């Protein structure tokens, strides 16, 4: 959580030494049952790189994920190893990491019975030691439209960005008014759009397909004007529209 990304480099050598030590241990002691998973929960979430570049926002939604498996695993279970490699080019989530770790505990037997106390994780994920469907969608795995990177997006015009930002701010203000109506005096204030960071919507499909793709998704990010007792706030919003124009 440091927008210059310089602080992260201070652990580079320690991480490299740790991984080299694990590798040496595996080679020297035949430790062939060691799997290493390196992952991040998200990419950079603030600062100029995120707020002013499409690349920054893309990296935020596609965090680092690496799995290191021993050579013996690939030799003994080639089908699972091939599936793991193939899934590198498939849509996967942290829910899949959860399922994969559970599966490794019992592999080569099947993954343990689903834990019903964690319904979302059990419904949305699958072990990566088996092939993931090539046509998997964000909706299939519980990724919200705002963070889905599978859709081709077109940049909104400046005027449409303003239109959508004002619409979102109005909806938030209306909801606040409903929640506080009839109650004691509230310290909540209406939000006012101050700066629009980004605005895009799903690309227009061929005309022949529009009848089957009735809606488009608008993704928007903006800052609100500072108010009494609080500074600028960043809002991320997704809006579904059934109209192909504004």
């Amino acid at each position: 959580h440091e927008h210059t990304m310089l602080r992260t480099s201070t652990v580079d050598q320690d991480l490299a030494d740790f991984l080299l030590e694990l590798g040496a241990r595996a080679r020297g002691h035949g430790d062939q049952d060691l799997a290493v998973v390196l992952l991040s929960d998200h990419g950079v979430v603030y600062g100029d790189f995120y707020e002013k570049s499409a690349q920054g926002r893309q990296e935020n939604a596609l965090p680092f994920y690496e799995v290191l498996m021993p050579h013996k695993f690939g030799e003994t279970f080639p089908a699972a190893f091939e599936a793991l490699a193939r899934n590198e080019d498939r849509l996967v989530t942290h829910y899949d990491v959860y399922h994969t770790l559970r599966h490794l505990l019992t592999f080569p037997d099947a993954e343990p019975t689903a834990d019903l106390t964690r319904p979302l994780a059990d419904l949305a994920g699958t072990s990566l030691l088996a092939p993931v469907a090539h046509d998997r969608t964000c909706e299939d795995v519980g990724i919200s439209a705002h963070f889905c990177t599978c859709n081709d997006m077109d940049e909104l015009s400046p005027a449409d960005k303003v239109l959508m930002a004002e619409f979102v701010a109005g909806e938030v203000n209306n909801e606040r008014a409903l929640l506080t109506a009839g109650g004691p005096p509230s310290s909540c204030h209406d939000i006012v759009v101050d700066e629009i960071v980004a605005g895009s919507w799903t690309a227009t499909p061929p005309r022949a397909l529009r009848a089957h793709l009735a809606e488009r998704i608008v993704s928007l990010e903006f800052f609100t004007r500072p108010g009494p007792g609080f500074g600028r706030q960043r809002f991320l919003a997704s809006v579904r529209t059934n109209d192909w124009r504004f």
Side-chain angles (χ1 to χ4, degrees), residues 6 12 38 86 88 90-91 97 103 107 112 115-116 142 154 156 158 167 197 201 210 218 222 230-232:
L6 295 176
D12 282 353
L38 300 173
R86 183 174 298 178
E88 183 178 10
R90 303 287 166 83
L91 176 63
V97 179
H103 196 184
F107 197 84
D115 182 353
L116 297 181
D154 288 335
L156 288 174
F167 168 77
V197 175
W201 65 345
R210 294 189 190 182
V218 178
F222 61 89
F230 60 90
R232 294 205 316 167

Side-chain angles (χ1 to χ4, degrees), residues 37-42 63-67 93-94 97-98 101:
V37 178
L38 300 173
L39 72 161
S40 172
D41 54 346
H42 56 73
F64 178 81
Y65 177 38
E66 183 82 12
V67 179
T93 75
H94 289 80
V97 179
Y98 161 77
L101 293 176

Side-chain angles (χ1 to χ4, degrees), residues 169-245:
E171 289 294 298
V172 172
N173 292 334
N174 290 340
E175 188 67 20
R176 179 205 59 80
L178 288 173
L179 292 173
T180 57
S186 172
S187 60
C188 295
H189 296 269
D190 283 350
I191 62 171
V192 179
V193 177
D194 185 39
E195 177 189 358
I196 300 173
V197 175
S200 57
W201 65 345
T202 45
T204 305
R207 186 173 300 275
L209 296 179
R210 294 189 190 182
H212 304 286
L213 300 172
E215 66 180 16
R216 298 179 80 172
I217 299 170
V218 178
S219 293
L220 196 72
E221 299 185 27
F222 61 89
F223 282 99
T224 57
R225 189 177 302 167
F230 60 90
R232 294 205 316 167
Q233 301 296 313
R234 180 163 61 95
F235 278 75
L236 292 76
S238 291
V239 179
R240 294 181 182 272
T241 174
N242 288 320
D243 193 351
W244 288 97
R245 61 188 180 282

Side-chain angles (χ1 to χ4, degrees), residues 4 55 61 99 132 149 152 154 161 178 190 225:
T4 68
Q55 179 69 23
H99 279 274
V132 169
T149 60
D152 291 328
D154 288 335
K161 289 180 184 178
L178 288 173
D190 283 350
R225 189 177 302 167

